[in-house]
Amino acid sequence: MASLLRGEPVAENVRRRIREKCEALQKKGVIPTLGIVRVGSRGNDIAYERGAVKQARALGVDVKRFLFDETVSIEDLRRTLEAINADPGIHGCLIFRPLPPHLDEMQLSGILRPEKDADVITAAAMGQMVTRTGNDFAPCTAAACLELLRYYRIPLKGKRVTVIGKGINVGLSIALLLLNEEATVSVCHIFTAPAEVRRLCREAEIIVSAAGCAGLIGAEHVRPGQIVIDVGVNTGADGKICGDADFSAVEPVVQAVTPVPGGVGAVTSCILMEHVVDAAVRSVQKPPQ
Ligand code: NAD
């Protein structure tokens, strides 16, 4: 039976760090503030926003919301992002995506200054992550995976890791972070032959799945001693939330596995808050020019 790598203790550890940093900031009269830009009213976005606001308040992080209906013009959104850039009272920003088709997402997100890009969606912030310059943010889900691996003291240096999925903010970013940790990383995607995915998974010491495909990892992908980090969030045939791993097949075999829900996802929103707080800390250290 595998040990469960639960996200909650990891999240609590991140929250403890955030509270300490917030206390130090408060003494300097700074309240870390997250700007949320939401266009439209998708249920998932609203649910995430509600959770983020609740979490922020509990931690002493303020939230300013910029809400638009679906017909917002590119100019209005541009002005908002420029105002966020110029506002020293907003330290980090989250933009819900995808934006409606009439808004050029790359162009708009590129307006945001990388030091305020709390979820690392801009090319500039991604570049800083790859080159390890500027702030050391990574997209929140990718950073949450690393946080979880570190918390459970899972060694990465020289370890063979197979990542499934190369979505820019999830799989690809996780692969890059793991390379930075000196792991030997293989990346599979939709065009990797299923037999090759199975082989690379079985060869790995750690499997990270970020495909968004329920049941993708079965008994034939795993062997004893492995660690499985399941980033996928899917709705199973029974209507319940599940990961990419067939939990009942994988869990009896491997050494440790993250549950879904209650694994990586539990850490992700805390990382967003920590990015905002870290951005506030940096703004105090180096006032904007
Ligand atoms: P995406 O669609 O951008 O990328 C999916 C990737 O998986 C692609 O590279 C695709 O080639 C690959 N893929 C899909 N099916 C595959 C298969 N059968 N075999 C091999 N590769 C396959 O999605 P994303 O935004 O990167 O998200 C990936 C997953 O992570 C989703 O389930 C999403 O819900 C989840 N997610 C979780 C969190 C969290 O906090 N836990 C946060 C964000 C996203």
Coordinates of all heavy atoms in Angstrom, one line a residue, residues 22 25 30 33 70 75 92 95 142 146 164 173 200 207 210 231 236 250 255 280 284 289:
C22 N 4.0 38.1 6.0 CA 2.9 39.2 6.1 C 3.1 40.0 7.3 O 3.0 41.2 7.3 CB 1.5 38.6 6.1 SG 0.9 38.2 4.4
L25 N 5.9 42.4 6.8 CA 5.4 43.5 5.9 C 4.5 44.5 6.6 O 4.6 45.7 6.4 CB 4.7 42.9 4.7 CG 5.5 42.2 3.6 CD1 4.7 41.4 2.6 CD2 6.3 43.3 2.8
V30 N 3.0 47.6 4.9 CA 2.6 47.1 3.5 C 1.6 46.0 3.7 O 1.9 45.0 4.4 CB 3.9 46.6 2.8 CG1 3.5 46.0 1.5 CG2 4.9 47.8 2.6
T33 N -1.0 42.7 -1.8 CA -2.3 42.8 -2.5 C -2.3 42.1 -3.9 O -1.4 42.3 -4.7 CB -2.7 44.3 -2.7 OG1 -2.8 44.9 -1.4 CG2 -4.1 44.4 -3.4
E70 N -18.1 39.8 -21.0 CA -17.5 39.2 -22.1 C -17.2 40.1 -23.3 O -16.4 39.8 -24.1 CB -18.4 38.1 -22.6 CG -18.6 36.9 -21.7 CD -17.7 35.7 -22.0 OE1 -17.1 35.8 -23.1 OE2 -17.6 34.8 -21.2
E75 N -9.0 47.6 -25.6 CA -8.5 48.9 -25.0 C -8.8 49.0 -23.5 O -7.9 49.4 -22.7 CB -9.1 50.1 -25.7 CG -8.6 50.3 -27.2 CD -9.3 49.3 -28.1 OE1 -10.4 48.8 -27.8 OE2 -8.7 49.0 -29.2
G92 N 0.8 41.6 -7.0 CA 0.7 40.4 -7.9 C -0.6 40.4 -8.6 O -1.6 40.9 -8.1
I95 N -4.8 36.7 -14.0 CA -5.7 36.9 -15.1 C -6.4 35.6 -15.4 O -5.6 34.6 -15.7 CB -5.0 37.5 -16.3 CG1 -4.2 38.7 -16.0 CG2 -6.0 37.7 -17.4 CD1 -3.4 39.3 -17.2
A142 N 3.0 24.2 -11.3 CA 4.4 23.6 -11.4 C 5.1 23.8 -10.1 O 5.8 22.9 -9.5 CB 5.1 24.2 -12.5
L146 N 6.7 21.0 -7.1 CA 8.1 21.1 -6.5 C 8.0 21.2 -5.0 O 8.8 20.6 -4.3 CB 8.9 22.3 -7.1 CG 9.9 21.9 -8.2 CD1 11.2 21.4 -7.5 CD2 9.4 20.9 -9.2
I164 N 4.2 13.4 -18.0 CA 3.2 13.2 -19.0 C 2.4 14.5 -19.2 O 1.8 15.0 -18.2 CB 2.3 12.1 -18.8 CG1 3.0 10.8 -18.3 CG2 1.4 11.8 -20.0 CD1 2.1 9.6 -18.0
S173 N 6.3 23.3 -17.7 CA 7.0 24.1 -16.6 C 7.5 23.1 -15.5 O 8.6 23.3 -15.0 CB 6.0 25.1 -16.0 OG 5.7 26.1 -16.9
L200 N 8.4 4.5 -20.6 CA 9.1 5.6 -19.9 C 8.6 5.7 -18.5 O 9.4 6.0 -17.6 CB 8.9 6.9 -20.7 CG 9.7 7.0 -22.0 CD1 9.2 8.1 -22.9 CD2 11.2 7.2 -21.7
I207 N 7.0 9.6 -11.5 CA 6.1 9.9 -12.6 C 5.3 11.1 -12.2 O 4.7 11.2 -11.1 CB 5.1 8.7 -12.9 CG1 5.9 7.4 -13.2 CG2 4.1 9.1 -14.0 CD1 5.0 6.2 -13.2
A210 N 0.4 15.2 -15.9 CA -0.3 16.4 -16.1 C -0.9 16.4 -17.5 O -0.7 17.3 -18.3 CB 0.6 17.6 -15.9
V231 N -1.1 15.3 -11.3 CA -1.6 16.7 -11.4 C -2.9 16.8 -12.1 O -3.6 17.8 -12.0 CB -0.5 17.6 -12.1 CG1 -0.8 19.0 -12.0 CG2 0.9 17.3 -11.6
G236 N -14.4 11.8 -13.4 CA -14.5 10.3 -13.8 C -15.8 9.9 -14.3 O -16.8 10.7 -14.3
V250 N -3.0 1.8 -9.3 CA -1.6 2.3 -9.0 C -1.3 2.2 -7.6 O -0.1 1.8 -7.2 CB -1.5 3.7 -9.6 CG1 -0.3 4.4 -9.1 CG2 -1.6 3.7 -11.1
Q255 N 5.3 3.2 -4.3 CA 5.7 3.6 -2.9 C 4.9 4.8 -2.3 O 4.5 4.8 -1.2 CB 7.2 4.0 -2.9 CG 7.8 4.4 -1.6 CD 9.2 4.9 -1.7 OE1 10.0 4.4 -2.5 NE2 9.5 5.9 -0.9
A280 N 5.5 41.5 -2.9 CA 5.4 42.7 -2.0 C 6.7 42.9 -1.2 O 7.2 44.0 -1.0 CB 4.2 42.5 -1.0
V284 N 9.3 46.3 -1.4 CA 9.8 47.0 -0.3 C 11.3 47.2 -0.4 O 11.9 48.2 -0.1 CB 9.4 46.4 1.1 CG1 10.0 47.1 2.2 CG2 7.9 46.3 1.2
Q289 N 10.9 52.2 -9.9 CA 11.5 53.4 -10.4 C 10.4 54.2 -11.1 O 9.5 53.7 -11.6 CB 12.6 53.1 -11.5 CG 13.8 52.5 -10.9 CD 13.9 51.0 -11.0 OE1 13.4 50.4 -11.9 NE2 14.4 50.3 -10.0

